[in-house]
Amino acid sequence: MKLKITYLAVLFITTVFLQSCEENLVEKPYSSLSAVSVYDSEDNLLKATYGVYQSYTGTNFWAPFSRFLISESGNKYCAMGIFGDGLITPYYKFAQTPTNSGWAAQVWAGLFSTISRANSVISNANDAVSDEAVANIYIAEAKFLRAYAYFVLVRNFGGVPIINKDITSLAETDLIYGARASVEETYNFIVGDLEFAETHLPDKWIGPDLGRISAGTAKAMLGKVYLTMAGKPLSKTEYFQKVVDKLEEVYGSANEDKYGFGLEDNFFDIFSLDNERNKELILSFGYFYNSSYTYGSIFPFFLFPRGLVNGDEQTFYGLTDDFYNLFEQGDTRRDVTMIDRYVFTGASGSDGANPGDSIIYNTSRKQYIIKGTDQAFGNAAVKCGRAYGKLDRTARISGAGPWGYQNDVIELRYADVVLCLAEALVEIGQESQALPLINRIRDRAGASIYATLPTDMRSAVRLERRLELTGEFTTVYDIRRWGTLQDEIAAMVPDQFLDNVVPTYSEKLELYPIPQTQIDANENLLQNPGY
């Protein structure tokens, strides 16, 4: 699912972005119009709703990239990139503190911006549209987007303040300086929003509306939320059955046709710019770049190796040999997820390479090398992993800055839904029903299918999630809900880290610290234990 929002002059009142953090109390407005002027028609309501979508990308390209870094860095398969560990520090070493949590601070601020915009739509939709059924569609979209923001927040920080309505006055200190809800209260709030969304949204959208949140999107996300609630820290194991019940509403040929879902035949096609609204994308947020809107995606610039599609990429994130070796020979996911070799397209002499040179990852040296000269490519002092490649490999628009790519941010794919359902089936003892789901994912990738039940089906489905979904905002959250973070850290090796020092496990690492700037601004916020 994918929505390109081409009308970005979204109207917001100046008080729409009052948050729990004093330094973020007022958002730079698109307009100083009053709420009455903004919400005076369905057309303006639509623009305001698009503004909630846009908040997940918008003009701050660091916010979604920050979410990538904190959801994909802290695991045993994460390594430095060609140019070191500058972006994945401190998260790949589990060295985050309240005062060095810059990426987490970006995530906190960005998601509360989304919540504020969503609350504005929810509170004012009935003023813009007299037909309650029509107004409820916009409210449902906003509630889904608010729920997803809280879903990201609770998995990173635990319980957070719940702001459930539009704040229009600085006198509303109970919301502006709200205390933290519990983890369970936060999840219950998320579930309530998603239940409203699945009830009031159309099964799917078509034509120019393709990519908006649908009932199918809400059901799929609700199933994933239930799966997370079934794991740590809530450990509501009875929710595994709720996962099955909910995701079976969207699984199977009839349901896939009803909601417009399915698996693409070719794994690489999922991420192609020529296939942006494909049936596998349940939730994604669109980036584009042109002369009037110059805020595209920065993901390829900091993930691709230099000279893959442009001459100036700066890789600071990689994946280890151990991860590469998890894939069977012939599994098409391997060379999409990681870039093992490529032809250099940069300028002559750049990092010792020339246009047309073959750049190959050398396993024994843990470096990219220039094939013709056997020289280390990039920083010769750094042992790096293979660069992440699960993005369309199209060069950015000529003349654009590092953020000028048009790759979308994919948050939920149908393959994730299939594996969530498989996992829940395993956990309730229906392993034989789960096996065809795992095989469906493996068959699409060209991996061997299981002829009989694996000895350990739980391990099999968890492995499949790593092979299929690494890099897609789910790795750290899976590890935490499985309760395997201690084992994950124990499996790390010195070569992954610039200082060759393996971190040690502490229970506090099951959550990130709340940024100190937020604690300083709101005396009602309590820090997570251990920080």
Side-chain angles (χ1 to χ4, degrees):
M1 190 206 75
K2 155 72 159 58
L3 178 64
K4 287 284 191 188
I5 301 171
T6 56
Y7 192 106
L8 293 171
V10 184
L11 303 176
F12 280 95
I13 58 174
T14 57
T15 56
V16 90
F17 188 45
L18 299 173
Q19 288 188 24
S20 61
C21 174
E22 188 176 45
E23 67 182 34
N24 292 321
L25 284 179
V26 182
E27 183 182 28
K28 180 180 178 180
Y30 289 93
S31 169
S32 58
L33 296 175
S34 68
V36 173
S37 299
V38 172
Y39 294 101
D40 62 353
S41 67
E42 185 175 352
D43 183 54
N44 276 348
L45 176 60
L46 175 62
K47 293 172 186 175
T49 305
Y50 279 177
V52 190
Y53 284 92
Q54 188 228 13
S55 69
Y56 277 99
T57 55
T59 59
N60 181 5
F61 46 74
W62 284 114
F65 193 66
S66 298
R67 290 196 292 109
F68 174 88
L69 292 171
I70 68 174
S71 63
E72 294 296 330
S73 297
N75 71 87
K76 64 186 177 184
Y77 299 128
C78 176
M80 293 171 288
I82 295 171
F83 295 97
D85 66 351
L87 292 181
I88 58 177
T89 298
Y91 296 96
Y92 86 131
K93 284 190 65 69
F94 298 91
Q96 55 272 358
T97 69
T99 56
N100 74 350
S101 58
W103 300 129
Q106 289 266 3
V107 171
W108 181 287
L111 293 173
F112 272 103
S113 171
T114 296
I115 290 163
S116 178
R117 291 189 180 194
N119 283 337
S120 179
V121 171
I122 293 164
S123 295
N124 293 286
N126 285 297
D127 294 330
V129 179
S130 58
D131 187 326
E132 184 177 7
V134 174
N136 279 340
I137 292 174
Y138 295 101
I139 293 171
E141 284 181 272
K143 285 195 171 188
F144 176 97
L145 295 166
R146 180 175 70 178
Y148 188 60
Y150 273 112
F151 187 37
V152 178
L153 285 165
V154 72
R155 288 180 293 170
N156 281 311
F157 305 107
V160 293
I162 293 176
I163 304 175
N164 59 3
K165 70 182 188 70
D166 193 20
I167 302 173
T168 58
S169 169
L170 291 172
E172 296 177 83
T173 55
D174 58 327
L175 292 175
I176 297 171
Y177 301 108
R180 298 177 64 178
S182 69
V183 171
E184 186 165 5
E185 288 168 340
T186 306
Y187 272 108
N188 288 340
F189 185 74
I190 292 166
V191 168
D193 272 359
L194 294 178
E195 288 176 339
F196 185 93
E198 70 170 336
T199 301
H200 292 93
L201 288 168
D203 292 339
K204 60 185 176 182
W205 296 91
I206 59 174
D209 290 315
L210 183 63
R212 292 172 66 178
I213 304 300
S214 67
T217 312
K219 289 177 184 294
M221 187 62 70
L222 186 53
K224 188 166 183 175
V225 169
Y226 284 152
L227 185 65
T228 308
M229 295 174 74
K232 305 284 186 181
L234 291 181
S235 300
K236 288 183 169 290
T237 55
E238 68 274 17
Y239 273 56
F240 285 122
Q241 184 62 57
K242 293 174 76 74
V243 177
V244 172
D245 294 342
K246 184 54 59 180
L247 294 186
E248 283 185 342
E249 294 181 25
V250 297
Y251 186 75
S253 57
N255 289 327
E256 289 169 25
D257 182 65
K258 177 179 180 180
Y259 294 111
F261 296 157
L263 298 181
E264 288 293 297
D265 293 334
N266 184 296
F267 188 72
F268 186 80
D269 288 347
I270 299 166
F271 311 98
S272 170
L273 290 178
D274 296 326
N275 195 31
E276 287 184 320
R277 300 187 182 191
N278 68 73
K279 62 187 177 182
E280 191 157 342
L281 305 188
I282 294 178
L283 179 66
S284 66
F285 298 106
Y287 273 110
F288 62 97
Y289 185 99
N290 58 36
S291 60
S292 60
Y293 187 75
T294 58
Y295 296 95
S297 170
I298 203 168
F299 277 68
F301 182 76
F302 283 127
L303 294 176
F304 284 166
R306 178 163 291 182
L308 177 71
V309 294
N310 284 97
D312 58 352
E313 296 93 337
Q314 298 180 14
T315 317
F316 289 95
Y317 175 89
L319 293 161
T320 67
D321 265 351
D322 286 343
F323 184 62
Y324 185 85
N325 292 331
L326 287 178
F327 292 89
E328 294 179 350
Q329 192 72 27
D331 188 330
T332 57
R333 295 173 297 187
R334 187 189 67 183
D335 293 332
V336 174
T337 304
M338 291 164 285
I339 298 168
D340 186 59
R341 58 190 62 214
Y342 64 100
V343 176
F344 183 72
T345 62
S348 294
S350 177
D351 295 290
N354 294 302
D357 281 347
S358 293
I359 310 297
I360 299 175
Y361 187 81
N362 185 293
T363 296
S364 61
R365 290 161 59 175
K366 291 185 170 54
Q367 291 178 320
Y368 283 95
I369 63 167
I370 303 167
K371 183 179 179 181
T373 63
D374 202 40
Q375 290 178 258
F377 177 73
N379 187 343
V382 170
K383 293 182 178 180
C384 67
R386 288 174 177 82
Y388 179 79
K390 208 183 286 184
L391 297 160
D392 183 280
R393 299 173 190 181
T394 300
R396 62 178 183 260
I397 293 174
S398 178
W403 52 87
Y405 298 87
Q406 304 200 75
N407 304 79
D408 298 332
V409 178
I410 299 171
E411 309 273 352
L412 181 64
R413 286 197 284 119
Y414 194 62
D416 191 351
V417 172
V418 173
L419 292 172
C420 285
L421 177 56
E423 182 177 344
L425 286 167
V426 169
E427 295 297 336
I428 64 172
Q430 296 182 15
E431 295 186 347
S432 59
Q433 289 90 328
L435 187 61
L437 280 68
I438 299 174
N439 278 340
R440 183 179 178 187
I441 299 298
R442 292 181 63 80
D443 185 56
R444 188 267 296 273
S448 62
I449 62 172
Y450 294 107
T452 59
L453 280 174
T455 303
D456 186 347
M457 273 290 284
R458 174 182 283 171
S459 295
V461 73
R462 290 180 179 183
L463 170 63
E464 213 57 45
R465 288 190 65 81
R466 297 294 280 263
L467 297 176
E468 180 75 20
L469 300 170
T470 285
E472 297 185 50
F473 303 94
T474 192
T475 302
V476 170
Y477 307 138
D478 278 350
I479 293 166
R480 286 175 171 171
R481 68 180 177 83
W482 290 333
T484 59
L485 181 58
Q486 186 168 3
D487 294 337
E488 194 82 12
I489 293 175
M492 292 179 170
V493 295
D495 279 347
Q496 290 178 243
F497 307 104
L498 190 61
D499 60 6
N500 294 310
V501 177
V502 177
T504 56
Y505 173 79
S506 168
E507 189 175 351
K508 71 178 184 180
L509 302 178
E510 302 292 346
L511 290 172
Y512 292 124
I514 295 178
Q516 189 61 42
T517 51
Q518 301 294 332
I519 298 288
D520 293 341
N522 180 3
E523 63 182 12
N524 293 316
L525 281 181
L526 299 178
Q527 186 56 268
N528 284 324
Y531 292 104

